[in-house]
Amino acid sequence: MNMQTNLSNQTDKDNLLEEKRKQSYQSWHEPALRTLSGLLEIRKKNLARQNRDEKNAAVKREEFMQALIDQHGKHGLYLGHAGQIISSLYRAKRIRYLGSTFIQMNEGGEA
């Protein structure tokens, strides 16, 4: 077997692993969006009590990550995974960032 074939096989394996990783993160989208939705509901109620616009409800990224771990850690979700899931949600346009800290759900992004 020549070196080129080995490199090609390794590239195929790497691509397959990357695809499996992506699918794994995507499988967490709906549970993560439900978690985010719950956090946002609390924010909306707080804003409504203060007679402020509920559309401004947002959650800190760190708080979202911690909630994911608290709710789904028993299923093997770790801090690094939570960050990757949030990034995957952003790439899929299911959430948006306000600055670099706060997260909102995109319209139609409800779980």
Side-chain angles (χ1 to χ4, degrees):
M1 197 178 280
N2 70 27
M3 185 113 143
Q4 192 60 41
T5 304
N6 286 341
L7 289 174
S8 176
N9 286 343
Q10 188 59 50
T11 300
D12 289 347
K13 286 179 188 172
D14 290 347
N15 289 343
L16 190 59
L17 279 175
E18 183 57 34
E19 195 54 40
K20 284 186 177 192
R21 224 184 333 265
K22 254 196 261 182
Q23 288 172 352
S24 172
Y25 295 136
Q26 288 170 352
S27 73
W28 282 98
H29 280 192
E30 296 310 316
L33 288 170
R34 282 193 295 278
T35 298
L36 179 59
S37 183
L39 293 170
L40 288 170
E41 280 306 309
I42 294 167
R43 297 297 173 289
K44 286 178 183 178
K45 287 178 183 167
N46 289 342
L47 288 170
R49 267 199 304 274
Q50 299 167 12
N51 289 326
R52 294 174 61 198
D53 191 349
E54 293 180 28
K55 290 180 187 167
N56 293 330
V59 176
K60 284 189 174 182
R61 187 176 195 275
E62 291 76 23
E63 183 183 8
F64 184 23
M65 288 174 69
Q66 189 59 54
L68 287 173
I69 294 164
D70 291 348
Q71 291 184 15
H72 306 289
K74 62 186 171 284
H75 302 297
L77 185 69
Y78 302 103
L79 193 61
H81 295 135
Q84 291 294 329
I85 291 163
I86 292 170
S87 294
S88 179
L89 285 167
Y90 177 75
R91 284 191 303 274
K93 298 182 178 14
R94 304 291 299 271
I95 62 171
R96 65 178 168 264
Y97 286 103
L98 301 179
S100 61
T101 307
F102 289 95
I103 294 174
Q104 289 183 321
M105 221 179 278
N106 270 335
E107 297 304 315
E110 287 80 26

